[in-house]
Amino acid sequence: MALAGVRVIELAGLAPVPFCGMILADFGAKVIRVDRTKVAMALDTQARGKRSVALNLKSPEGVAVLKRLCVQSDVILEPFRKGVMEKLGLGPEELLKENPGLIYARLTGYGQSGSYAKAAGHDINYLAMSGLLSMLGRSHDKPYAPLNLVADFAGGGLTCAFGVVLALLERTRSGRGQVIDATMVEGAAYVSSFVWKSRRIGMWNNPRGENLLDSGAPFYDTYQTSDGKYVAVGAIEPQFYTQLIHGLGLDAAKLPPQMSFTDWPELKKIFTKQFATKSQEEWACVFDGTDACVTPVLSMDEVISHPHNQERASFHRDAEGEVTPNPAPVLSRTPANVCLDRDPIIGEHTRPVLEEFGFKPTEVDQLLSAGVIECNSARARL
Ligand SMILES: C[C@H](CCC[C@@H](C)[C@H]1CC[C@H]2[C@@H]3[C@H](O)C[C@@H]4C[C@H](O)CC[C@]4(C)[C@H]3C[C@H](O)[C@]12C)C(=O)SCCNC(=O)CCNC(=O)[C@H](O)C(C)(C)COP(=O)(O)OP(=O)(O)OC[C@H]1O[C@@H](n2cnc3c(N)ncnc32)[C@H](O)[C@@H]1OP(=O)(O)O
């Protein structure tokens, strides 16, 4: 796999850094998640392919252990607010001194500088600060955050993983590591560059929810079908819009022009009425195989059985039998290889990992009896 041989130390965090660690693990990196001790359950729901070491970083011995792990690793992923690692004596200055090739990825909401740097926050706060949240939501409604996807994951974990790969590539030339200051405000803003860069062509001149791609256009929205399900319509170009009108059984001559903004509410009413006359499956029979850009809105459990997704094997069932997306993108020669094992128990791999990194069994025993580490076994949890 593309990241085979890359060693990553992931400090346990809430959602963005776990996603970054999962991406790196999916594509072949050896990811060791460093968990707190005395914690019942991991918060990490994106733990596949990782190993867990339970380590108390509030002890000098624990700090020494982490330093030894980082000296032999390529990447450290840090999920804490500004200053926490420095307080522990584990800041970039210390760790890069001992391992100049280390890539020190710091994924925060607001970054390592700026007046908000030490403030707590979550996806919705970062999305708000990026400017993008002001653009999201239906007409005459308040701004709406699409789950915690844009800041936490698109602009957070994924962008950070991109930064790690960039730094790994650069290190092949320079031999040197560096610090990645990944912030979710900037990441969310960056992944939405299209919105910023298309303002000048008038794409967003109308109020929120009344533009082409923000649920304002009748040909770019969702519609309920007779069985209470939904279809998604994305017929933007005129040649696709023509096929939409045909599939709906409407007479284009009797409709207002597609791009007549002021007629969009009326057109939306007509489409709503039409889509309510058939079930989702019946509309799929009408539109599958056409370029009308109409697709079923599939539930998270339906996606795995849709023929297209099945043909590509885009989803799999994990160890718990839950539907799970496969890694993306698909590399032809070195594709990702999803770990289907169950998620690690906190501290499950403390001993094997420490010994793999050169700790003598007696050292591990001493750290264990001093409460610096925890070694838990899956059997003990059953
Ligand atoms: C929208 C998302 C958030 C979604 C979160 C949900 C996924 C989860 C929220 C609640 C969870 C459920 C709940 O817990 C109940 C169940 C529990 C069960 O165990 C599992 C199932 C649950 C249902 C569980 C399920 C889910 O997990 C939940 C629903 C986001 O937006 S996430 C993005 C958040 N923001 C960032 O990541 C930006 C950067 N980080 C920060 O700003 C801060 O970390 C943050 C997030 C504000 C938290 O601040 P906090 O004060 O808590 O921490 P920090 O200031 O960062 O300091 C960390 C301290 O911890 C010490 N430390 C770290 N590692 C160790 C260690 N190994 N040993 C010892 N100590 C350690 C570190 O030294 C710091 O100590 P100090 O504070 O003294 O300096």
Side-chain angles (χ1 to χ4, degrees):
M1 289 187 278
L3 295 179
V6 174
R7 278 181 156 180
V8 178
I9 302 295
E10 173 192 323
L11 296 174
L14 270 183
V17 156
F19 179 52
C20 182
M22 185 190 82
I23 293 170
L24 302 177
D26 281 345
F27 285 92
K30 291 268 174 272
V31 179
I32 294 163
R33 189 185 69 206
V34 174
D35 288 298
R36 293 165 175 77
T37 53
K38 302 189 181 67
V39 170
M41 267 176 81
L43 299 186
D44 181 5
T45 55
Q46 304 166 105
R48 71 175 179 229
K50 300 177 188 175
R51 291 185 290 173
S52 168
V53 166
L55 178 63
N56 178 7
L57 293 176
K58 289 283 176 70
S59 67
E61 300 86 348
V63 169
V65 169
L66 190 80
K67 284 185 173 179
R68 276 176 69 174
L69 297 179
C70 290
V71 163
Q72 302 170 65
S73 296
D74 301 290
V75 182
I76 180 169
L77 303 177
E78 183 229 326
F80 311 131
R81 69 178 99 186
K82 169 184 158 61
V84 164
M85 289 293 273
E86 284 80 353
K87 219 167 38 173
L88 293 170
L90 292 166
E93 214 171 293
E94 289 90 349
L95 297 191
L96 281 154
K97 200 186 312 163
E98 299 194 5
N99 177 1
L102 185 66
I103 290 154
Y104 197 118
R106 318 192 80 170
L107 177 49
T108 60
Y110 303 113
Q112 300 301 317
S113 59
S115 55
Y116 278 19
K118 292 204 170 194
H122 289 96
D123 174 276
I124 194 167
N125 306 111
Y126 314 137
L127 195 60
M129 288 293 289
S130 77
L132 188 61
L133 183 55
S134 70
M135 306 288 285
L136 305 177
R138 287 189 176 276
S139 176
H140 304 303
D141 204 343
K142 60 186 180 176
Y144 165 76
L147 309 183
N148 59 320
L149 298 178
V150 179
D152 269 3
F153 301 116
L158 181 60
T159 305
C160 188
F162 175 61
V164 165
V165 173
L166 288 174
L168 284 168
L169 178 63
E170 192 282 333
R171 192 180 70 173
T172 61
R173 293 190 297 271
S174 68
R176 298 175 59 200
Q178 57 185 307
V179 179
I180 299 172
D181 182 3
T183 93
M184 284 177 259
V185 172
E186 293 160 1
Y190 192 48
V191 297
S192 58
S193 292
F194 165 75
V195 179
W196 300 95
K197 309 297 278 179
S198 55
R199 294 198 305 173
R200 74 166 83 96
I201 58 172
M203 283 273 299
W204 312 99
N205 288 352
N206 299 331
R208 181 174 54 248
E210 296 175 22
N211 299 282
L212 183 76
L213 300 178
D214 66 356
S215 75
F219 48 83
Y220 200 85
D221 202 351
T222 55
Y223 291 92
Q224 190 164 37
T225 52
S226 64
D227 52 354
K229 294 189 173 185
Y230 290 89
V231 291
V233 175
I236 301 173
E237 297 80 346
Q239 67 272 25
F240 303 150
Y241 181 76
T242 302
Q243 295 190 47
L244 168 68
I245 298 305
H246 176 71
L248 283 172
L250 295 170
D251 178 354
K254 294 181 180 151
L255 296 175
Q258 177 189 3
M259 291 301 176
S260 165
F261 292 170
T262 51
D263 291 307
W264 280 0
E266 185 51 33
L267 252 180
K268 202 168 264 196
K269 283 188 191 133
I270 294 168
F271 288 3
T272 300
K273 189 161 166 278
Q274 274 316 93
F275 275 114
T277 62
K278 285 184 173 64
S279 69
Q280 186 191 74
E281 193 167 342
E282 287 166 336
W283 284 119
C285 295
V286 169
F287 288 113
D288 275 5
T290 75
D291 278 345
C293 309
V294 177
T295 47
V297 176
L298 300 174
S299 73
M300 304 275 272
D301 290 322
E302 289 171 330
V303 293
I304 197 167
S305 50
H306 188 284
H308 173 76
N309 293 337
Q310 269 191 334
E311 286 144 23
R312 281 189 57 83
S314 304
F315 297 83
H316 68 273
R317 287 194 185 280
D318 64 15
E320 278 73 36
E322 287 182 352
V323 174
T324 306
N326 281 346
V330 176
L331 278 70
S332 62
R333 189 169 48 78
T334 59
N337 180 20
V338 183
C339 171
L340 296 175
D341 299 343
R342 60 165 174 74
D343 289 351
I345 305 286
I346 286 188
E348 181 176 352
H349 306 97
T350 307
R351 182 175 294 275
V353 165
L354 294 193
E355 290 180 1
E356 183 186 308
F357 275 70
F359 286 77
K360 295 188 186 65
T362 48
E363 283 186 282
V364 179
D365 294 340
Q366 280 158 8
L367 289 165
L368 188 58
S369 53
V372 177
I373 60 172
E374 272 174 11
C375 300
N376 301 317
S377 69
R379 277 190 306 285
R381 305 275 309 173
L382 298 179

